[in-house]
Amino acid sequence: MKSNIKEHWLKGVVFLLSLLVIYFTTFSKLDNSAKSRIDSSFKQALGVFATAKALNGVISLVQGTEVGPPGVTISIGEILDPINDLVERFSWIMLASLTSLGILKILMNILVFKGFEILLISSLLISNILLFYRFKKYLYARELFFKFTILLIFLRFSIPLVTMANEYVYLNFIKQDYNIEQSQNVIVSAKNEISKFDDKKASYFSTDYYKNKMYAFETVASNATNHIVDLITVFIFQTMLFPIIFLWLLYRLFIFFSKSFHIP
């Protein structure tokens, strides 16, 4: 008697969960929200990448300038060598981040494709039929089909869940210390400050202008370097490390359910 109650209860739970999956697959705004987050992150990363390349171009231009009073040659851009190397490496990291976000966009487009939706809903319907009507000759195939359905569910919601968790972690644990918008504004300000260098304002008989500029560049470079490191930390975590860890945890959860999943 208890066994029958447990069996019917389990079947009822699976049926309700199937309805819930169909609802989120068909009627929920979860997909639009996830796509919006990915698009927003992609545009933000693209903006930061463009800013970094612009700063790199300005620094390269100033670094090639050698001026000074008679008998003295001053390369005012030498102070910018360290930050220029950092910006070049940062550009590659941003390119990798953009690639990662681009892959997420492609996967999201595949998962919201109508054909995938039909496959998932059909699998859920067949699974529920097999759940309530046992075919003794096909028990092994029945179990495999249940696991295949679980795999489809895992694939269907993995990317939306990653984007939701990523945004939650950023807003609640990262943004207060590593604010992307503020760091990007600092880099833009650094680019504008460096681009103001004008050797026509200098005196051929005084090095004061160059000394002041080198001091200003050193201050700007130091501030920009700190924020570039912050951006490197954020984008590596958000676009590479966190998605991999989160998807791995979801995968381990899928393996756990697949191994322990047994329908009477």
Side-chain angles (χ1 to χ4, degrees):
M1 182 69 179
K2 290 183 178 179
S3 176
N4 289 334
I5 293 175
K6 183 179 179 181
E7 179 180 336
H8 289 304
W9 180 84
L10 183 59
K11 289 179 179 180
V13 170
V14 172
F15 178 73
L16 290 175
L17 288 175
S18 299
L19 292 178
L20 197 62
V21 169
I22 292 174
Y23 169 77
F24 278 111
T25 301
T26 309
F27 304 107
S28 174
K29 296 181 180 179
L30 185 66
D31 295 336
N32 292 334
S33 179
K35 291 180 72 173
S36 177
R37 289 189 184 97
I38 295 173
D39 289 339
S40 177
S41 297
F42 188 86
K43 290 178 182 178
Q44 187 178 55
L46 189 61
V48 174
F49 176 72
T51 301
K53 294 302 291 183
L55 177 60
N56 179 245
V58 169
I59 292 174
S60 299
L61 183 64
V62 173
Q63 278 184 311
T65 304
E66 291 185 349
V67 291
V72 180
T73 300
I74 300 176
S75 180
I76 199 168
E78 286 183 358
I79 196 71
L80 300 174
D81 274 339
I83 188 176
N84 197 33
D85 292 339
L86 180 62
V87 170
E88 288 179 357
R89 288 166 175 75
F90 175 53
S91 297
W92 282 106
I93 291 172
M94 290 309 304
L95 188 60
S97 296
L98 285 167
T99 302
S100 175
L101 290 169
I103 292 172
L104 284 179
K105 288 183 69 173
I106 293 172
L107 291 174
M108 194 66 209
N109 289 335
I110 293 173
L111 295 175
V112 299
F113 177 60
K114 201 68 178 177
F116 190 91
E117 180 182 323
I118 293 172
L119 176 63
L120 175 58
I121 293 175
S122 300
S123 297
L124 284 168
L125 293 175
I126 294 173
S127 294
N128 277 274
I129 292 173
L130 294 174
L131 182 66
F132 287 94
Y133 299 96
R134 297 185 61 179
F135 299 94
K136 294 183 179 180
K137 293 183 179 180
Y138 306 103
L139 291 180
Y140 180 71
R142 176 175 178 257
E143 187 173 342
L144 285 179
F145 193 84
F146 285 146
K147 291 181 178 180
F148 172 72
T149 304
I150 295 174
L151 175 62
L152 291 180
I153 295 171
F154 163 76
L155 293 174
R156 179 63 181 80
F157 296 106
S158 57
I159 304 302
L161 287 175
V162 165
T163 60
M164 288 174 59
N166 209 338
E167 183 180 48
Y168 178 83
V169 170
Y170 174 72
L171 293 176
N172 291 278
F173 303 104
I174 299 176
K175 189 174 183 178
Q176 56 268 32
D177 296 318
Y178 300 91
N179 191 298
I180 295 175
E181 292 81 7
Q182 289 181 2
S183 295
Q184 185 178 2
N185 290 335
V186 170
I187 296 175
V188 171
S189 298
K191 176 187 75 69
N192 294 336
E193 181 65 30
I194 294 171
S195 65
K196 290 178 182 178
F197 172 73
D198 184 4
D199 60 343
K200 294 179 181 178
K201 295 180 180 180
S203 169
Y204 282 100
F205 303 99
S206 173
T207 60
D208 289 344
Y209 175 80
Y210 304 108
K211 289 179 180 178
N212 291 335
K213 270 299 177 184
M214 289 186 75
Y215 177 76
F217 282 178
E218 186 176 8
T219 303
V220 169
S222 177
N223 191 29
T225 297
N226 293 334
H227 285 275
I228 288 173
V229 171
D230 287 348
L231 287 172
I232 289 173
T233 303
V234 172
F235 278 100
I236 286 179
F237 180 80
Q238 272 199 299
T239 63
M240 301 176 201
L241 190 60
F242 183 83
I244 290 173
I245 293 174
F246 193 83
L247 286 174
W248 181 81
L249 290 174
L250 286 178
Y251 172 73
R252 295 307 304 174
L253 192 63
F254 160 71
I255 294 296
F256 172 77
F257 276 114
S258 296
K259 289 182 177 180
S260 59
F261 188 80
H262 176 70
I263 296 294

